[in-house]
Amino acid sequence: MPPQVKEKWVSLSDLSHFLMGSDTPEDLVENASSYIVDILEVDYCRIILMDLNGRYYCKSEYSKTAPFHLNGTILEPSVAEGIYSRLLDPDNHLRLLLAHEHLTPIEKASLGIKETEKSWIIPLKIESRGIGVLILGQKGSKGSQILSEDSYYMVDLISDQLSNAIHRAQMSDQLESLSIETVIALSKTLETRDLHSASHSKLMASLSEQMANHYQFSVRETRELCWAALLHDIGKIGVEDTILKKTGPLTEEEWEVMKMHPEIGAQIVRGVSGLESIATLVLTHHERVDGTGYPQGLSGDQIPLGGRILAVVDAYSTMTEGRPYQAKRTHTEAIQEIINNSGKAYDPDVVNLFLSLFNGNKKEQ
Ligand SMILES: [Fe+2]
């Protein structure tokens, strides 16, 4: 295989991996246009998507000659919407439209295509349902065709992969919105049972997000850790008020009941669509690296990193806010307690990273 052709297929493989790995529709369309410009050796690429109301928006535009890189959202003019609707009609099986040959000067102008440019408009479809269009263009006159014949197959492959990836990301986005609503509803339920939990969970989520950023977690991993921080004590809705709100020390029997909350919480979130993946973090937030925690007595790396992070931020938040059964401590006292338990209750690496969060941002003593 000639080196140039091989290079193209490698780039196509990179695009496929990128499309499969993108966490959000925004990230996906924002970067896909620059990949496509490189692979197909065109001058510019626009990705136009249809919203739920049938309006078309330019979501991403990249040009290597201008150069410009649009990462915003621009409503397409009504003339352009008419062209897209025709191309995306389920009865229309046209796989591409040669804009420079088949559109009137007014229509070309509405798409921002100059008379001297060669351009293609490719439908993006899921089965027969249109979701948007891809516009590829070559500025100036560079031969009668802007793409070689070999590239036709690549255009087909790319438009199919892009359509599927956008559809998958949009579905995942909708599911996430539902999951966020569920997390909010569940955490509000917890607040009504335990007055300390609202601010405690929010502080935990904020600290967890900072820790996730330091560990360079992906968008999805960060989101899951923050959701787990908000819901880590959701199992307490299964613990009676006489224990949950007791002001004195808990008896041994009462502690046994209290120690059931990670398992109850894990069961609750495991049963909610979209939240299954955070069950393990909820389950392990009271495990200790020396193996003396609960409910499973896991040790070291047996505890997932997210669980080890939650253990530290939970301890800090609990100590600095106080509990009915535990006096409030200062920032310095809480930090000292965490250092004293590094390597026993807490992962030393996580503790070191946690301490670094406060460097240059010194709390009141
Ligand atoms: Fe807990």
Side-chain angles (χ1 to χ4, degrees), residues 32-80:
S33 51
S34 56
Y35 272 100
I36 293 169
V37 162
D38 282 344
I39 294 168
L40 295 174
E41 296 178 54
V42 291
D43 283 337
Y44 66 84
C45 168
R46 286 182 211 147
I47 298 174
I48 298 176
L49 297 182
M50 183 169 55
D51 71 6
L52 293 173
N53 299 315
R55 306 296 302 273
Y56 292 88
Y57 288 86
C58 180
K59 299 286 188 181
S60 168
E61 185 168 49
Y62 178 76
S63 169
K64 67 178 177 189
T65 52
F68 63 90
H69 199 155
L70 166 78
N71 298 328
T73 296
I74 296 174
L75 178 64
E76 290 291 286
S78 55
V79 177

Side-chain angles (χ1 to χ4, degrees), residues 130-277:
I131 60 166
V133 296
L134 181 66
I135 300 183
L136 305 174
Q138 197 87 54
K139 293 177 186 295
S141 304
K142 295 186 181 175
S144 56
Q145 284 187 308
I146 64 162
L147 297 170
S148 68
E149 207 159 303
D150 287 347
S151 302
Y152 292 178
Y153 301 106
M154 281 201 174
V155 170
D156 247 6
L157 200 59
I158 287 171
S159 60
D160 274 354
Q161 286 197 347
L162 185 61
S163 303
N164 284 319
I166 290 170
H167 182 62
R168 180 183 50 78
Q170 286 174 335
M171 295 292 284
S172 150
D173 224 27
Q174 283 174 11
L175 185 62
E176 190 195 327
S177 301
L178 283 173
S179 301
I180 289 170
E181 285 171 21
T182 310
V183 170
I184 292 168
L186 283 173
S187 53
K188 282 202 183 304
T189 308
L190 183 58
E191 286 168 27
T192 61
R193 289 292 312 282
D194 180 355
L195 296 174
H196 293 270
S197 291
S199 56
H200 171 65
S201 299
K202 281 172 193 154
L203 176 60
M204 270 190 73
S206 163
L207 292 170
S208 297
E209 185 174 13
Q210 293 175 59
M211 293 290 281
N213 290 338
H214 275 273
Y215 274 107
Q216 298 186 314
F217 278 11
S218 69
V219 173
R220 190 175 300 277
E221 288 169 330
T222 303
R223 193 167 57 213
E224 286 173 356
L225 184 65
C226 290
W227 285 357
L230 287 171
L231 296 178
H232 68 288
D233 271 346
I234 191 68
K236 283 186 178 173
I237 61 175
V239 177
E240 58 230 63
D241 274 356
T242 49
I243 297 175
L244 206 58
K245 296 180 179 173
K246 188 173 178 181
T247 50
L250 298 179
T251 66
E252 205 168 307
E253 278 181 1
E254 288 168 337
W255 262 120
E256 287 308 311
V257 175
M258 187 67 122
K259 280 158 69 174
M260 289 168 70
H261 78 270
E263 281 178 303
I264 299 171
Q267 273 178 26
I268 292 171
V269 296
R270 201 177 287 128
V272 180
S273 177
L275 301 185
E276 303 91 337
S277 55

